[in-house]
């Protein structure tokens, strides 16, 4: 990579707490957030971006006939920022194959479970209902398979006997905000890449669950 900071575009749909973590970390990182795009005009994350002086765009998916036409417009808006990396931070849209192929190896997502377990939504509730002893969060590359791309890093959170959905989610959120900027920085530094449908860090192929960090 050049000496210029890695250009990152962040996609959001809501509160933007992970966006805030990325903004807070960016001052001491090798990336800069070039733009923030939301599919919802009332997403609080837009205010976070504005406060940080980051350009924003709103693209309402309801104004498009189908997923593909929305994604085509979204890609044009993203490409106008000339990003090296696209980061999904609570972007509540399933991306079309064309979008994923366009940014192959350059899209990261964060998911509140220990992938490949508990793909999809309502992960905290499902983990509690199953009586799992551990929960956590995964950062992974995005592929056409929903929540199925190569995992880079996981933070493992123990499940307490008296945990509720809210208490468990709160502890997972803390880890989300810690590990997402770390992985983005790895990519920005040229240490992380996707190749052969696997994540590679410092020239070493990571396993199915990526690197794992256990939280007490």
């Amino acid at each position: 990579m050049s000496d210029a900071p890695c250009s990152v575009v962040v996609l959001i749909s809501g509160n933007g707490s992970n966006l805030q973590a990325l903004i807070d970390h960016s001052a001491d990182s090798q990336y800069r957030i070039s733009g923030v795009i939301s599919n919802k005009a009332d997403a609080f994350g837009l205010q976070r971006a504005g406060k940080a002086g980051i350009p924003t765009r709103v693209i309402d998916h309801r104004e498009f006939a189908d997923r593909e036409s929305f994604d085509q417009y979204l890609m044009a808006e993203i490409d106008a920022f000339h990003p090296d990396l696209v980061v999904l931070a609570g972007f509540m849209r399933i991306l079309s194959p064309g979008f994923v192929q366009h940014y192959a190896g350059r899209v990261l997502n964060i998911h509140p479970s220990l992938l490949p377990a508990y793909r999809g939504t309502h992960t905290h509730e499902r983990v509690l209902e199953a009586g799992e002893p551990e929960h956590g969060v995964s950062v992974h590359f995005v592929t056409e398979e929903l929540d199925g791309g190569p995992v880079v890093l996981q933070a493992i959170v123990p499940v307490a006997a008296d945990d509720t959905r809210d208490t468990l989610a709160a502890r997972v959120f803390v880890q989300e905000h810690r590990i997402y900027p770390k992985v983005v920085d790895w990519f920005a530094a040229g240490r992380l890449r996707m190749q052969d449908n696997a994540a590679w860090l410092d020239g070493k192929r990571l396993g199915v669950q990526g690197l794992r960090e256990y939280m007490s």
Side-chain angles (χ1 to χ4, degrees):
M1 287 191 178
S2 69
D3 292 335
C6 175
S7 174
V8 176
V9 170
V10 182
L11 306 187
I12 64 171
S13 294
N15 180 53
S17 65
N18 273 306
L19 167 63
Q20 188 65 58
L22 291 164
I23 292 172
D24 293 345
H25 183 78
S26 63
D28 300 315
S29 76
Q30 298 192 54
Y31 67 85
R32 64 179 176 86
I33 301 175
S34 303
V36 172
I37 300 175
S38 175
N39 65 316
K40 295 186 177 181
D42 61 352
F44 184 68
L46 293 169
Q47 296 183 42
R48 297 180 189 271
K51 187 176 180 180
I54 300 169
T56 62
R57 303 284 187 274
V58 176
I59 309 171
D60 189 340
H61 61 276
R62 296 172 297 182
E63 297 178 358
F64 295 83
D66 51 39
R67 188 187 313 279
E68 286 73 20
S69 57
F70 170 77
D71 280 5
Q72 285 292 327
Y73 193 93
L74 175 61
M75 285 188 286
E77 290 293 306
I78 293 172
D79 287 347
F81 289 109
H82 306 289
D84 300 300
L85 178 67
V86 178
V87 172
L88 310 183
F91 187 59
M92 304 306 291
R93 297 282 301 169
I94 296 175
L95 299 168
S96 64
F99 183 101
V100 175
Q101 292 164 11
H102 184 69
Y103 299 106
R106 296 193 294 135
V107 188
L108 290 172
N109 184 46
I110 191 161
H111 181 74
S113 82
L114 299 175
L115 293 172
Y118 298 101
R119 299 179 186 182
T121 59
H122 306 296
T123 60
H124 311 305
E125 295 91 335
R126 290 159 61 198
V127 164
L128 289 172
E129 288 170 2
E132 299 282 5
E134 294 177 334
H135 189 28
V137 58
S138 306
V139 178
H140 66 96
F141 281 105
V142 173
T143 62
E144 293 180 35
E145 183 181 3
L146 180 64
D147 297 330
V151 175
V152 179
L153 180 61
Q154 295 183 329
I156 299 173
V157 176
V159 178
D162 59 350
D163 260 330
T164 64
R165 184 262 177 213
D166 291 339
T167 60
L168 185 56
R171 295 207 307 285
V172 171
F173 270 132
V174 170
Q175 300 309 321
E176 289 185 22
H177 302 159
R178 185 181 65 82
I179 71 171
Y180 214 179
K182 179 186 292 189
V183 173
V184 172
D185 227 7
W186 287 346
F187 186 94
R191 298 176 57 193
L192 173 68
R193 73 182 192 278
M194 188 177 86
Q195 180 180 324
D196 301 327
N197 201 38
W200 294 71
L201 181 65
D202 296 332
K204 297 180 180 179
R205 181 173 179 148
L206 302 180
V208 173
Q209 296 171 318
L211 297 179
R212 310 191 94 190
E213 298 179 352
Y214 291 81
M215 303 298 108
S216 58

